């Protein structure tokens, strides 16, 4: 077996969690990440028949039975992942029955996956139904996105349109827009189901007065989506109280989207 500490997916998770904590998006034990691993790669580091213990999921995830995920742990601080990945991360396989997860590595202190893991799995299943290459779900609390929730209406078209106006790259990076949910109780199947429904249409979903969910084919893609939204929200919060002299016009957004060949939400523009 190869050394797990050198596994590319562990290295990626260590770098990502450290960077997100540094950015202030994951205070205390806030935020969580799940990453569906390539099985040909993961078995170079683990034996598939060596299950440490079984952990109930709390819902039926049969659609991803047999899939293997590396997941941040419940109650764990992102700042501690890099120093001690085996305690703060875990690698689990969704059992054949769909309602349990088999721990293959990690959670060394007896812990388990984040309480949001069922919500992550629901979003993975939703994204896989429209994009079979999806592998990553990230949830975090970006400061300016969260601040924007309090001063901007939580409606998908207007929220997306405002973000698109803030940076030239926005309509190119997230042409499918941003889904928005009202405040809901976190850690429940209800918010997971609502998020998954939005994930059939969007790769980004704002949880009102809480944070954001981002999905992608890679860690870079999922992180980059959130990073771009956060930059746009920061510009909005820096300028919202000032007179607007200039803006990116809708006709210019169309020009951008069509030049870069992205499939954008035309119904989110005011043409």
């Amino acid at each position: 077996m190869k050394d797990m500490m050198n596994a590319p997916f562990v290295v990626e998770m260590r770098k990502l969690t450290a960077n997100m904590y540094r950015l202030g998006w994951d205070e205390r034990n806030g935020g969580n990440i799940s990453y569906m691993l390539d099985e040909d790669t993961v078995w170079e580091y683990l034996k598939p028949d060596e299950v440490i213990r079984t952990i109930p999921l709390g819902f039926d995830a049969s659609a991803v039975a047999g899939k293997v995920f590396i997941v941040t742990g419940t109650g764990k601080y992102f700042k501690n992942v890099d120093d001690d990945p085996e305690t703060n991360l875990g690698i689990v396989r969704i059992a054949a029955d769909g309602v349990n997860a088999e721990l293959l590595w990690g959670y060394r202190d007896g812990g388990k996956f984040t309480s949001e893991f069922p919500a992550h799995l629901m979003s993975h299943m939703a994204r896989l139904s429209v994009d079979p290459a999806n592998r990553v779900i990230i949830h975090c609390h970006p400061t300016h996105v969260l601040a924007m929730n309090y001063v901007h209406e939580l409606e998908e078209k207007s929220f997306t349109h405002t973000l698109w106006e803030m940076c030239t790259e926005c309509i190119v990076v997230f042409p499918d827009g941003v889904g928005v949910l009202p405040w809901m109780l976190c850690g429940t199947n209800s918010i997971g189901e609502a998020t998954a429904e939005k994930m059939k249409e969007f790769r980004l979903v704002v949880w009102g007065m809480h944070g954001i969910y981002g999905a992608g084919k890679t860690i870079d893609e999922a992180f980059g989506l959130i990073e771009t939204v956060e930059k746009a929200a920061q510009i909005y919060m820096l300028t919202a109280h000032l007179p607007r002299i200039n803006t990116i016009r809708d006709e210019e957004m169309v020009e951008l989207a069509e030049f870069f060949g992205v499939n954008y939400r035309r119904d989110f523009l005011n043409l």
Side-chain angles (χ1 to χ4, degrees):
M1 292 286 99
K2 294 183 179 179
D3 181 7
M4 182 63 77
M5 292 302 105
N6 295 323
F9 44 86
V10 171
V11 172
E12 279 189 295
M13 290 287 279
R14 292 170 73 173
K15 288 181 178 178
L16 177 63
T17 50
N19 190 33
M20 292 174 71
Y21 186 80
R22 179 186 59 81
L23 289 167
W25 298 359
D26 297 275
E27 71 291 337
R28 198 174 181 270
N29 62 319
N32 25 77
I33 303 166
S34 62
Y35 177 9
M36 187 171 71
L37 302 178
D38 176 73
E39 291 171 40
D40 290 338
T41 301
V42 77
W43 301 137
E44 295 177 13
Y45 299 88
L46 290 170
K47 294 180 179 178
D49 56 344
E50 292 187 359
V51 176
I52 299 169
R53 53 191 163 92
T54 300
I55 308 171
L57 289 170
F59 87 110
D60 187 352
S62 295
V64 287
K67 299 297 184 184
V68 180
F69 297 84
I70 186 166
V71 192
T72 50
T74 186
K76 303 305 184 187
Y77 290 35
F78 274 25
K79 72 180 182 67
N80 296 330
V81 173
D82 192 34
D83 288 336
D84 189 2
E86 194 171 358
T87 297
N88 295 284
L89 302 174
I91 296 176
V92 299
R93 176 175 56 204
I94 307 305
D97 62 12
V99 297
N100 290 288
E102 299 167 334
L103 179 62
L104 304 174
W105 176 87
Y107 308 141
R108 183 169 51 184
D109 61 352
K112 56 180 277 189
F113 42 72
T114 169
S115 62
E116 302 288 1
F117 189 43
H120 279 240
L121 289 174
M122 292 175 197
S123 286
H124 275 289
M125 292 188 289
R127 287 306 305 164
L128 288 166
S129 72
V130 297
D131 180 4
N134 186 88
R135 288 190 171 273
V136 179
I137 300 290
I138 296 175
H139 168 57
C140 57
H141 310 151
T143 305
H144 298 93
V145 172
L146 187 54
M148 187 173 168
N149 283 199
Y150 291 91
V151 297
H152 193 289
E153 61 180 327
L154 291 175
E155 190 276 327
E156 288 162 353
K157 176 179 176 178
S158 64
F159 202 88
T160 297
H161 191 278
T162 294
L163 293 171
W164 281 351
E165 287 181 308
M166 295 300 108
C167 300
T168 293
E169 67 175 345
C170 284
I171 196 170
V172 178
V173 175
F174 52 99
D176 41 347
V178 177
V180 177
L181 289 174
W183 184 92
M184 297 179 69
L185 182 63
C186 57
T188 65
N189 285 353
S190 294
I191 196 169
E193 291 161 1
T195 306
E197 191 60 33
K198 294 289 184 185
M199 281 283 181
K200 294 176 183 177
E201 189 176 354
F202 305 100
R203 292 171 297 159
L204 292 156
V205 180
V206 167
W207 282 8
M209 283 68 72
H210 183 146
I212 195 167
Y213 256 59
K217 300 178 182 68
T218 64
I219 278 178
D220 277 352
E221 182 182 44
F223 175 80
L225 285 168
I226 297 170
E227 184 178 34
T228 306
V229 168
E230 170 65 358
K231 168 59 78 66
Q234 181 178 12
I235 294 169
Y236 174 76
M237 293 304 297
L238 287 170
T239 60
H241 61 293
L242 300 171
R244 180 75 68 87
I245 297 173
N246 301 303
T247 194
I248 303 171
R249 294 181 289 111
D250 285 40
E251 294 80 5
E252 293 167 333
M253 293 184 203
V254 171
E255 186 179 359
L256 274 164
E258 294 184 353
F259 178 80
F260 285 98
V262 296
N263 185 21
Y264 63 100
R265 289 290 301 258
R266 193 175 181 88
D267 59 319
F268 278 10
L269 295 175
N270 301 312
L271 297 171

